[in-house]
Amino acid sequence: MLNQKPMYGYQMIKEIEKKSNGVFEFKEGTLYPILHSLEAANMIESYWWGSEGSRQRKYYRITPKGVKGLREKQAEWVTFRSAVDKILTGEAYAWR
Amino acid sequence: MEVITNEKLISYINEICSQVKFREVHREIELELKTHLQETVEEYLAEGFSEDEAVNKAINQMGNADRIGKQLNKVHQPKPEWSILVLSLFFVSLGLLAMFFIEKHGLLGFTPDPVPILFIKSFIFAIIGAAIITGLYLFDFRKIEPYSVHIYWGTVLMLVLSVFAGQPVNSTNYLTLGPVSINFVEISPLLLSIALAGILHKWDWDKSKKLLQGLLLCVMPLLLILACSSITAAIIYTAVCITLLIVSRAKPRAFLTLTSLVSGIIVFLIINTPYRLQRFMAFINPEKDPSGAGWLNLQLSQLINGSGSFGQGLTEKPDFVPGLHTEFVFSYLTFTFGWVAVGVLIALIVLFITRMTRVAVMVKNNYARLVLSGFTAIFTVQFIWNIGMNLGFAPISGVGLPFVSYGGSQLILNAAALGIISSIYRRRNIRHTC
């Protein structure tokens, strides 16, 4: 999500809820340890934004290193998914 | 919009933070979680729930405070920058080894004691250094920032005292304070680096007045250092200034002015002081006066050329060269261990500098970045100059090889720099300045 635009925590939760039609539901608090560890690994970076006195939000955006990491993970996921697909469709034939 | 004051929410956030042992990140976590919870609560309030219900729902959605706190604690566990510390420990050990054998062979230029006094002294200083590193590592270095101006003027004052009240020792003015006499000029680049980092990190270089003011702040201590007749400290300090100007995004015109000004002054001083000119000429052409000014240069090159690929070993005793345990320890190491080992040593030094630069790039707080850049400049100039003069590429001066050369005050100074670097690295993800 962050490779499209910088976001803050609450916004990410809302976005995940919307995009997954409520399939992904998790405790919101667990998002922050993940964000902080990604930041410690330099995959994303954060900055505070918001006018003085009113609400300050901590936005996160992806770094070049994060983009690279994301591509690798995506490639991994594609291989994994196609493997699972193959097994599942194979099983489907077997069952028939 | 008001920041929430609901007691339940606050105690929930405090419960999370209580799990995070690294207290200095608490403020940022607190603020981030607060805004999140506030938004959830507001949403429920808009849906018509009572405040109490809304708060309960928001907390429930967040999840178990204990678990979140533990996970956050894991992420924020401070890890020291081991590679820099291990490398410097290696340099120090190498120095101790060299001290021991230089002393054993009686290469100090004075009658050796039966006990290896230099070795023992170095060892004690190394232990003091380790204590200083640990102390500074635990101390939040950013707390110093508000005092930058004080440090600056304090240093300038001490330099003025060194100029007018200092006693010359080996041509540099030492400041005598009661029973101890210290080479304050030697310490000044480090102190000024810390002070100027704090002053310049928010400097507006675009305004002409500010530009002039900034340059003046840089040049004034420089003139005082030169007045104490330490060209070495002056060049190290200049490197610090130029680095700080570049990292604080001054216009190229600013640091070009500074560079040309400084090189002008230094050339003038070299030409105007007979012994410096002599040394410089000896560097350019040592053969011209082999028994006088060029003697040291020739002796060093003989020492280094006699080493071979694997060195003469620790049992071999090289010809006498003054300062073998201080400025020319690199030549001794080359003679003893040979070119291959020295190649490895240089590679480790390059690694040391690269690691420091990497931390400077990575750190989020701009003030910390400037401090680190200044320190990196100090170490880089010292390493390059010392190795250069040992190999005959740079004029001979009083620059030691950091961590390796004998010298208690220098070792303590370097340890302090390492401690500050470690302190900054530990807090690299914290942006707020105290």
Side-chain angles (χ1 to χ4, degrees), chain B residues 393-415:
Chain B
F393 300 135
I396 289 174
S397 72
V399 189
L401 193 62
F403 304 109
V404 186
S405 284
Y406 175 76
S409 61
Q410 199 57 51
L411 190 62
I412 298 285
L413 217 55
N414 289 336

Side-chain angles (χ1 to χ4, degrees), chain A residues 8-10 13-14 27-30 32-33 36-37 39-40 42 46 48 53 55-58 60, chain B residues 1 28 31-33 35-36 38-40 42-43 60-63 67-68 71-72 75-76 364 431:
Chain A
Y8 55 96
Y10 183 78
I13 299 276
K14 287 283 144 200
K27 290 293 177 195
E28 293 170 10
T30 52
Y32 290 101
H36 289 197
S37 64
E39 191 182 10
N42 281 326
S46 67
W48 287 88
R55 183 169 297 163
Q56 296 247 337
R57 285 168 175 149
K58 197 178 174 190
Y60 292 89
Chain B
M1 243 173 271
E28 204 157 333
L31 208 59
E32 188 173 27
L33 293 177
T35 46
H36 184 120
Q38 195 181 1
E39 276 180 86
T40 323
E42 273 165 17
E43 199 186 343
N60 187 31
Q61 241 167 280
M62 234 7 184
R67 230 184 57 214
I68 299 168
Q71 284 171 338
L72 281 173
V75 176
H76 291 288
K364 296 224 169 82
R431 205 165 306 102

Side-chain angles (χ1 to χ4, degrees), chain B residues 249-312:
Chain B
R249 294 175 203 285
K251 288 266 157 55
R253 150 173 92 114
F255 52 84
L256 287 180
T257 318
L258 189 67
T259 321
S260 44
L261 192 70
V262 172
S263 20
I265 297 175
I266 286 174
V267 167
F268 175 79
L269 279 177
I270 289 178
I271 293 173
N272 255 296
T273 345
Y275 92 92
R276 285 199 187 110
L277 189 65
Q278 213 177 25
R279 268 198 194 179
F280 192 73
M281 292 320 284
F283 157 64
I284 307 269
N285 187 8
E287 277 87 5
K288 203 178 152 208
D289 185 9
S291 57
W295 181 79
L296 197 51
N297 303 62
L298 287 176
Q299 207 68 19
L300 281 178
S301 73
Q302 224 174 48
L303 195 63
I304 284 188
N305 290 334
S307 68
S309 305
F310 298 102
Q312 302 289 328

